[in-house]
Amino acid sequence: MKSLMLMAQVTVAVARNSLARTPPMGWMSWEIFRCDIDCSKDEASCISEWLYKNQTDALVEGGYLEAGYEGIHIDDCWMHKGPRPAGTAGRELVADPERFPSGMRSLGDYMHARGVSFGLYTAESPTTCAGYPASSGHEMDDASTFAAWGVDYLKVDGCGAPSYYEHGYEAMGAALEASGRDIVYSCSWPAYIGNNESVKPFEKFIMDGCNLWRNYADIQCNWGSLSSIIDHWGDYATKLAPYAAPGHWHDMDMLLIGANCISEDEERTQMAMWSILAAPMIMGNDLRRVPAASKAILLNEAAIAINQDTLGQMGLRLPSFTSKSATQIWARKLANGDVAVALYNKLGPGVIAEEGAGAPCPSWHQIRNAQLEACGGGAGDFLLRQLAATEITNLSLAGAMELCCRESTCEGFTVAAHDGFAPVYQAATLESCSGHGQSSKGAPMRSGDGTADIQVKFSDLNLFGDVLVYDIWTRTTLGSFRDSYTAKAVPLHGTAFLRLSSVAQPTFVV
């Protein structure tokens, strides 16, 4: 009961503009294609107008646009690097003429002709994270250029001196509003000022015009990274929830679904959690090669309806659970009075948790040539359990991984280098631990096959009397239940995803 009562008491901030009334949906290139600019070796996958036209066509033909994934978002490395091409004036940003010979306006027209919105990338620094020209000090000029090209969505990264961000993101927000075009503003500033969500100036992000923002480390294509992001949102949910609402959203980063790097059960968990937490759903896959099972998850209308629910209220992990909990219950209140519930099997039954001394997480340490957050999978600070504080400063990244590999509960850690890049999650996988004598890494001690029965009590969700239970994954009504419902044999790393309706209330129909 406490969880949903808490959500009802939250006062949310009001958006500055009228854009992004529900979490943005679309596709972005970075997770799979990164900064591949060698088109002579891989024409189908290099950062070029051909890649983005192909992905646009796949978005439409694959049914993703119809389902709500409306944007194709170009990430870093599209710009021309070096002297300005002939025929350009001043310092205006221009696309690489070899990889984008038709120009950005033409590429945007191609997307718009197919009903797809045009997303682009820049940074509040002299150069992007990959070293291409960016927008620091030129916000008004660049916003005018983007508007002239028909840009609908702009991701603005950091990549430079954090001292500039307070002014830079405000300047870009004002420039976009003055550009004469509605452009959804995606800000990365919060991801560069640490992981403590309780001290971040979310009111300023909103007043700067940000419609969504990255909070945490870049997602990597593995379960350790994905589960650490879920943990982070669970740990800070009560601090984050007041600032998630129509017009401004916490961005948990790209969907790995269809990228062939996590299991189908893990893909379902990501879809469920991003929906419960009202997170933008920006796919990070190759739309031309999405497996059928992954595509079915991405196109699940019932899950998308929860993500896009017009109440815009971010869900929470119920307060009786923590990131250490082997199984967890998460819930989100919906506009018609229904409650969406995720029954998450993080570790499986019978897990033997490692307890011991150590500061609570997040706990950042200076190590050799980097900073490291030693959360270790929610079991406290794994470094302070094994080393004295004075020994940590001389620790190498490889040494930190070795210490993590010694503990079954250490799933990985977050590293922030000193070059302006956003924090990156390092997963402690079987492969990364192979040289440390940890052959069982990645499989904490548990009983049976890892499946778990998970029960939700309706009174914890402010639902009373008979409750209708709808299964999001099977798209079927399971029946009417009183007091509680138990999901049987939820797979390890999997999630039972339900929509609960009071029988006295109108029920949800797909």
Side-chain angles (χ1 to χ4, degrees):
M1 183 183 297
K2 293 180 180 178
S3 178
L4 278 253
M5 287 179 63
L6 181 61
M7 286 194 284
Q9 295 168 359
V10 165
T11 301
V12 299
V14 178
R16 178 175 169 178
N17 57 46
S18 61
L19 306 177
R21 305 307 294 170
T22 59
M25 297 175 62
W27 175 91
M28 184 175 287
S29 56
W30 184 257
E31 188 63 42
I32 297 296
F33 301 100
R34 301 288 172 169
C35 193
D36 180 359
I37 60 172
D38 191 348
C39 296
S40 64
K41 291 183 178 179
D42 192 1
E43 184 175 299
S45 298
C46 67
I47 302 302
S48 67
E49 67 177 63
W50 302 284
L51 171 66
Y52 294 109
K53 286 181 177 180
N54 287 340
Q55 298 296 330
T56 298
D57 293 342
L59 188 83
V60 176
E61 295 165 6
Y64 299 99
L65 176 62
E66 184 179 2
Y69 298 92
E70 64 177 13
I72 291 290
H73 303 165
I74 298 169
D75 209 273
D76 204 346
C77 310
W78 62 267
M79 304 87 163
H80 174 70
K81 184 188 285 188
R84 297 297 181 192
T88 63
R91 54 84 45 208
E92 66 187 37
L93 293 175
V94 293
D96 183 274
E98 294 184 1
R99 293 182 285 115
F100 295 87
S102 302
M104 283 303 187
R105 176 57 187 260
S106 176
L107 181 55
D109 288 345
Y110 185 92
M111 296 178 188
H112 292 151
R114 288 152 182 80
V116 175
S117 65
F118 176 22
L120 200 58
Y121 168 100
T122 186
E124 277 302 330
S125 44
T127 63
T128 69
C129 293
Y132 288 78
S135 295
S136 173
H138 302 280
E139 289 83 5
M140 194 64 72
D141 290 339
D142 289 350
S144 179
T145 297
F146 300 146
W149 288 346
V151 170
D152 304 298
Y153 177 109
L154 185 68
K155 173 184 172 181
V156 182
D157 212 339
C159 313
S163 59
Y164 183 74
Y165 297 158
E166 183 172 1
H167 164 75
Y169 281 97
E170 179 180 355
M172 181 58 82
L176 291 174
E177 290 190 357
S179 71
R181 185 174 180 83
D182 287 339
I183 300 176
V184 173
Y185 185 20
S186 172
C187 303
S188 295
W189 180 14
Y192 288 91
I193 54 176
N195 290 343
N196 187 350
E197 307 292 354
S198 63
V199 299
K200 292 181 181 179
F202 291 109
E203 296 92 343
K204 178 164 176 55
F205 305 150
I206 294 168
M207 291 307 298
D208 286 350
C210 300
N211 298 113
L212 62 157
W213 47 74
R214 285 284 315 286
N215 303 61
Y216 191 55
D218 288 355
I219 196 168
Q220 305 300 314
C221 226
N222 59 68
W223 171 249
S225 175
L226 170 56
S227 64
S228 76
I229 292 171
I230 296 170
D231 285 349
H232 184 78
W233 257 254
D235 294 342
Y236 285 101
T238 58
K239 304 298 182 183
L240 295 172
Y243 303 103
H248 43 92
W249 311 98
H250 301 291
D251 186 356
M252 299 174 71
D253 211 356
M254 289 168 282
L255 295 175
L256 303 179
I257 304 164
N260 299 302
C261 59
I262 55 176
S263 71
E264 288 179 25
D265 289 323
E266 292 163 354
E267 290 184 336
R268 291 187 188 92
T269 288
Q270 186 178 28
M271 190 73 174
M273 289 302 184
W274 266 234
S275 298
I276 289 284
L277 293 164
M281 295 209 297
I282 310 297
M283 297 178 287
N285 52 30
D286 184 343
L287 290 170
R288 301 165 296 188
R289 300 179 175 87
V290 176
S294 300
K295 183 176 180 180
I297 295 169
L298 289 165
L299 298 182
N300 186 305
E301 293 179 10
I304 293 172
I306 290 171
N307 178 267
Q308 297 288 293
D309 184 75
T310 56
L311 183 61
Q313 191 173 93
M314 176 184 142
L316 304 170
R317 185 175 63 200
L318 268 59
S320 55
F321 301 94
T322 72
S323 290
K324 295 182 183 180
S325 301
T327 61
Q328 303 167 17
I329 299 175
W330 299 61
R332 176 183 178 183
K333 189 173 183 179
L334 304 176
N336 73 338
D338 288 359
V339 179
V341 179
L343 308 181
Y344 171 38
N345 181 8
K346 178 183 177 182
L347 297 174
V351 173
I352 300 175
E354 293 186 16
E355 302 291 345
C361 285
S363 179
W364 283 87
H365 297 285
Q366 180 68 53
I367 64 170
R368 196 187 310 164
N369 298 323
Q371 291 181 319
L372 182 148
E373 186 187 44
C375 282
D381 190 318
F382 73 90
L383 288 183
L384 287 178
R385 278 199 296 273
Q386 301 180 64
L387 297 177
T390 54
E391 298 175 292
I392 294 175
T393 55
N394 198 41
L395 188 67
S396 67
L397 187 57
M401 180 59 75
E402 180 175 357
L403 294 175
C404 181
C405 290
R406 293 178 183 175
E407 295 194 1
S408 65
T409 56
C410 183
E411 299 170 354
F413 47 81
T414 302
V415 178
H418 300 297
D419 53 10
F421 280 67
V424 173
Y425 186 79
Q426 302 282 334
T429 63
L430 181 63
E431 181 180 1
S432 63
C433 293
S434 60
H436 305 302
Q438 302 295 317
S439 59
S440 63
K441 191 63 197 179
M445 296 179 65
R446 58 176 63 86
S447 61
D449 60 0
T451 63
D453 296 346
I454 307 177
Q455 182 186 70
V456 56
K457 295 180 179 179
F458 299 148
S459 60
D460 289 343
L461 310 174
N462 283 350
L463 293 174
F464 303 96
D466 292 333
V467 172
L468 204 64
V469 178
Y470 180 86
D471 189 318
I472 300 293
W473 300 136
T474 64
R475 307 281 298 279
T476 58
T477 299
L478 302 179
S480 179
F481 297 81
R482 182 173 286 268
D483 298 328
S484 66
Y485 173 80
T486 300
K488 299 289 188 179
V490 179
L492 179 66
H493 296 174
T495 297
F497 195 15
L498 309 172
R499 184 165 182 147
L500 308 182
S501 307
S502 171
V503 171
Q505 296 291 331
T507 57
F508 172 73
V509 177
V510 176

